Amino acid sequence: MEQAHEFILRYNQITLTDLPKVGGKNASLGEMFKNLHSQGILIPDGFAVTSDAYWFFLNENNLHDKLEKELNKLDTTDFKNLAEVSLAAHKLIEGGLMPGLLKQSITAAYTDLCEQAGQLLKVAVRSSATAEDLPGASFAGQQETYLNISGPESVVNAYKLCLASLFTERAIKYRFDQGFKHMDVALSVGVQQMVRSDAGCSGVLFTLEPESGFKDVVVVNGIWGLGENIVQGTVDPDEFIVFKPALLHQKKSIISKKLGGKLKTMIYTDHLNHHPASNITNVATPVEKQNQFILTDEEVEQLAKWALIIEKHYKCAMDIEWAKDGFTSKIYIVQARPETVHSNKTDPHLIYSYALKEKGTVLTKGIALGSKIATGHAKILKDPKDAAELQQGDILITDITNPDWDPIMKKAAAIVTNKGGRTSHAAIVAREMGVVAVVGTGNATTVIQDGQTITVSCAEGKNGVIYDGILPWEKTIIDTSKITLPETQVMFILADPDKAFQHAALPNNGIGLMRMEFVVSNTIKIHPMALLKFDELTDREAKQKIEELTHLYSHKPDYFIDLLSQAVATVAAAFYPKDVIVRMSDFKSNEYANLIGGKQFEPEEENPMIGFRGASRYYSPLYKDGFRLECEAMKIVRNEMGFTNVKLMIPFCRTVEEGKKVVGLMAEYGLKRGDQNLEIYTMIEIPSNVLLAEEFADVFDGFSIGSNDLTQLTLGLDRDSTLVSPLFNENNPAVLKLISQVIRAARKKGTKIGLCGQAPSDFPEFAMFLVREGINSISFNPDALIRGIENIKIAEAEIRDGEPKNRLAIE
């Protein structure tokens, strides 16, 4: 006769030898409870019904052979009878009688839990397959969880339903795909005291960036109400990114905050029905709560600290679910599993890069999962039961993917949905399977026609883009273990912060040029002076747009400071502790005028290219206060967040006196050269910069040659003019002579000097010229980086071996 205590284990008593019975991994659950509780982490109390109970249930009902017989009927070629096999297995479990001893054990354990709490508890009944949450397979969402269960009979009923969920269509197919034998996998069930997140909030966090695998951040997502909405991907969540080193050094560690829509809130119903799944319902989230972040900064950082403790305990990257009780305001960790996508990489040195060779008509955009590209015919499906209509290589278009869609994911070339988020269970499984997916488009099923040929691109940062037609694309495999960096520093030119974590995995020495303009035009969108002088704006339409964009900020200029500091911090974090050189804004007046509210604050110029731009703007009464906002953002990044790897660069500085004026103004704004090792560079893009290089070197800490502007100003042409553009040539002897002259002047003064541009990757002889002259660094666009490295290494080798083969004449 089985003993009751073999079926039940209290969470705080589970030992290492018990792990096979409860689906735990890596460490004793009891030790984990003690360890985490001792460090202030709150975990709801509960107990596990072990896998011994599952086998006991099967044996008492003589189900083992019957289940195996049904599962052996599975068509493993086309899986046409998957639904039939699943239903038959379900019926066997549901038709089984609950053994009296097992029922008594669960009832006694639940009653004991209630007595300790001093009330009749509502609990969550959670499945945990004993093969679940391995580093190579998440089993995310494959079995069922039932919430808000109250009373012994309901708990026992929910337990039995969990057992049956071991044989859902998705779970059967998933085990086959992962190579698990069906009857080797058992099920334990956790019964856990409910956290009243229905009146609070809940979410998911990862101890790495889930798309790129970047390990130095914690990504926290959350919604109002129960977590099922975020698990299913039905609600657009808030997202916070926390930089681990800043957190550990007690600096301002939240480097990114994005407000989600949070249109729905899942709550408990007041009445209890026979089936546990009907105890919850979705209601519309009040507008004022949609426009609030679900957590304070302090709560986000607390969760991130807990995440680091859990990651350290389990010795691997983690996928963690959390919940905040709306009545007590306490936050709990309710589930933790190893992250499976990046942990399972067979060769972390291999980087796969995808790029479209041309762009087409954009049909819709959403959240990209991964970085791949796929093409094919669109197939619009409303229900996973229609899976037979999907042909191998079709692109699945549907409203939302929940775990029920998992069995057909491998059949699809790509998946595009109206709804969904990047932390849902379906997203986790899509990444794990390597499926190209774009979720949360909002309109894919209406703008894409059934049978239409489309291209799905996840290779454009966080935004996934669906194009009309079949577009050509290429795949590049980079083995970073075989790439060594040259002596000359190789750096990036970067504009989009969303691509920073992905690019940081490539061999590099940091960022030689971060273009601030991209962030201002694409993320901030508002002219800084329109924020500072909002009450003076005469454009009503602009005022309305500004009100909409800045509704979270009582002081409108803070909107500019906050978003700019987050964007720069994201890049600084991705490349930390390598140098990140941020160029202060370098819009021309016509470009500034195109920002929201900009026309009122910009002059009309005949030739903006050589007009009111760069350094001359910063101390002008027309923009001086706007420049102060840029400086305020950089102060936050360096002083409050601790990113002292950020260096600042002044563009288009015409005279030495102008340089002194700007550097002095920056010191006045709290950015003084030398404070916390702050270095201020200037662009070398005007002939006066070259002719007076030694004098400029007394004002600035470093130089960066802007070859485009230097070429046009040396040759006296407008590079935007099609009439004279054929004359634009960086290899012109006059341009090369100036570049040579400024490099030699910088070396004489001991001033660092680099160059930002495409030429060294396109022309090996140009790379040779720069290396021979003794340049310190060369910065490339990401798509030219590897080719640039090769050219520099060839140049350095030829110089070491004797007379270089590739020469540029400059005399």
Side-chain angles (χ1 to χ4, degrees), residues 292-434:
Q292 295 174 16
F293 283 108
I294 47 104
L295 295 171
T296 65
D297 288 358
E298 292 75 19
E299 288 171 329
V300 171
E301 290 183 330
Q302 182 61 67
L303 267 174
K305 288 175 184 175
W306 288 358
L308 295 188
I309 294 169
I310 294 170
E311 181 180 56
K312 183 178 179 181
H313 181 86
Y314 280 101
K315 299 180 177 65
C316 65
M318 298 296 290
D319 166 2
I320 299 168
E321 294 180 22
W322 60 270
K324 180 181 177 181
D325 193 301
F327 295 100
T328 66
S329 294
K330 292 181 178 179
I331 300 177
Y332 295 83
I333 299 297
V334 295
Q335 185 166 309
R337 61 167 69 90
E339 188 276 339
T340 56
V341 178
H342 299 284
S343 303
N344 197 34
K345 282 189 174 179
T346 53
D347 191 342
H349 298 293
L350 292 181
I351 295 175
Y352 300 89
S353 175
Y354 301 81
L356 288 171
K357 292 183 177 180
E358 61 184 62
K359 300 288 182 75
T361 302
V362 175
L363 298 174
T364 187
K365 294 182 179 182
I367 301 167
L369 302 179
S371 60
K372 296 181 180 179
I373 299 172
T375 59
H377 291 90
K379 186 63 187 177
I380 299 176
L381 297 181
K382 294 182 178 179
D383 194 288
K385 293 177 182 177
D386 301 326
E389 297 179 26
L390 187 77
Q391 301 301 309
Q392 190 74 35
D394 281 350
I395 295 175
L396 172 63
I397 313 293
T398 189
D399 186 52
I400 186 170
T401 55
N402 59 40
D404 289 332
W405 291 92
D406 294 355
I408 62 172
M409 278 187 173
K410 279 197 170 181
K411 198 174 180 181
I415 297 167
V416 181
T417 69
N418 295 334
K419 302 171 185 172
R422 67 191 188 113
T423 54
S424 65
H425 276 316
I428 295 168
V429 175
R431 288 192 200 96
E432 190 177 294
M433 291 182 175

Side-chain angles (χ1 to χ4, degrees), residues 494-498 514-526 559-571 582-583 585 587 595 633-634:
L494 188 67
D496 187 355
D498 285 347
M514 179 185 172
R515 302 182 193 274
M516 186 182 289
E517 304 82 53
F518 181 92
V519 177
V520 176
S521 60
N522 289 272
T523 302
I524 297 172
K525 302 178 182 178
I526 305 171
Y559 166 84
F560 185 96
I561 295 168
D562 202 22
L563 267 60
L564 181 57
S565 64
Q566 288 179 34
V568 173
T570 298
V571 177
V582 179
R583 185 176 68 189
S585 67
F587 284 124
L595 296 172
M634 297 305 99

Side-chain angles (χ1 to χ4, degrees), residues 194-383:
M194 282 300 306
V195 177
R196 291 301 305 272
S197 59
D198 62 310
C201 56
S202 57
V204 177
L205 66 82
F206 291 88
T207 61
L208 47 62
E209 203 281 318
E211 301 304 332
S212 64
F214 182 72
K215 294 181 179 180
D216 274 348
V217 293
V218 175
V219 179
V220 180
N221 283 261
I223 55 173
W224 296 115
L226 300 173
E228 194 66 13
N229 276 336
I230 201 169
V231 168
Q232 292 177 356
T234 54
V235 172
D236 179 25
D238 293 345
E239 181 177 270
F240 309 85
I241 300 180
V242 180
F243 187 51
K244 293 178 184 177
L247 187 70
L248 294 173
H249 289 94
Q250 298 181 324
K251 293 285 188 179
K252 182 176 181 179
S253 61
I254 300 173
I255 60 173
S256 177
K257 291 170 65 173
K258 293 183 179 175
L259 187 73
K262 309 184 294 294
L263 296 178
K264 296 179 181 178
T265 300
M266 186 173 284
I267 61 172
Y268 302 133
T269 55
D270 293 331
H271 56 88
L272 294 179
N273 296 298
H274 176 69
H275 197 285
S278 58
N279 292 343
I280 54 179
T281 188
N282 258 322
V283 296
T285 306
V287 174
E288 61 270 20
K289 293 189 75 174
Q290 293 177 30
N291 292 326
Q292 295 174 16
F293 283 108
I294 47 104
L295 295 171
T296 65
D297 288 358
E298 292 75 19
E299 288 171 329
V300 171
E301 290 183 330
Q302 182 61 67
L303 267 174
K305 288 175 184 175
W306 288 358
L308 295 188
I309 294 169
I310 294 170
E311 181 180 56
K312 183 178 179 181
H313 181 86
Y314 280 101
K315 299 180 177 65
C316 65
M318 298 296 290
D319 166 2
I320 299 168
E321 294 180 22
W322 60 270
K324 180 181 177 181
D325 193 301
F327 295 100
T328 66
S329 294
K330 292 181 178 179
I331 300 177
Y332 295 83
I333 299 297
V334 295
Q335 185 166 309
R337 61 167 69 90
E339 188 276 339
T340 56
V341 178
H342 299 284
S343 303
N344 197 34
K345 282 189 174 179
T346 53
D347 191 342
H349 298 293
L350 292 181
I351 295 175
Y352 300 89
S353 175
Y354 301 81
L356 288 171
K357 292 183 177 180
E358 61 184 62
K359 300 288 182 75
T361 302
V362 175
L363 298 174
T364 187
K365 294 182 179 182
I367 301 167
L369 302 179
S371 60
K372 296 181 180 179
I373 299 172
T375 59
H377 291 90
K379 186 63 187 177
I380 299 176
L381 297 181
K382 294 182 178 179
D383 194 288

Side-chain angles (χ1 to χ4, degrees), residues 166-217:
L166 193 59
F167 301 100
T168 60
E169 293 176 41
R170 61 183 185 258
I172 292 171
K173 178 65 162 55
Y174 187 86
R175 286 194 295 271
F176 176 83
D177 290 338
Q178 295 293 333
F180 290 102
K181 293 182 178 179
H182 297 293
M183 299 312 293
D184 286 350
V185 177
L187 196 83
S188 73
V189 173
V191 179
Q192 189 177 63
Q193 186 172 340
M194 282 300 306
V195 177
R196 291 301 305 272
S197 59
D198 62 310
C201 56
S202 57
V204 177
L205 66 82
F206 291 88
T207 61
L208 47 62
E209 203 281 318
E211 301 304 332
S212 64
F214 182 72
K215 294 181 179 180
D216 274 348
V217 293

Side-chain angles (χ1 to χ4, degrees), residues 543-561:
K543 290 191 82 165
Q544 184 179 345
K545 288 180 181 178
I546 292 172
E547 287 281 21
E548 291 170 359
L549 288 171
T550 63
H551 70 274
L552 292 176
Y553 298 83
S554 57
H555 185 235
K556 292 190 176 351
D558 289 343
Y559 166 84
F560 185 96
I561 295 168

Side-chain angles (χ1 to χ4, degrees), residues 118-189:
Q119 59 178 310
L120 183 68
L121 289 175
K122 293 181 178 180
V123 294
V125 182
R126 298 176 174 274
S127 304
S128 180
T130 53
E132 192 171 344
D133 301 340
L134 294 170
S138 69
F139 276 76
Q142 302 306 310
Q143 283 74 232
E144 300 293 352
T145 288
Y146 298 101
L147 304 175
N148 201 34
I149 307 301
S150 182
E153 186 175 342
S154 296
V155 172
V156 171
N157 182 40
Y159 168 76
K160 190 176 178 183
L161 289 171
C162 284
L163 297 189
S165 75
L166 193 59
F167 301 100
T168 60
E169 293 176 41
R170 61 183 185 258
I172 292 171
K173 178 65 162 55
Y174 187 86
R175 286 194 295 271
F176 176 83
D177 290 338
Q178 295 293 333
F180 290 102
K181 293 182 178 179
H182 297 293
M183 299 312 293
D184 286 350
V185 177
L187 196 83
S188 73
V189 173

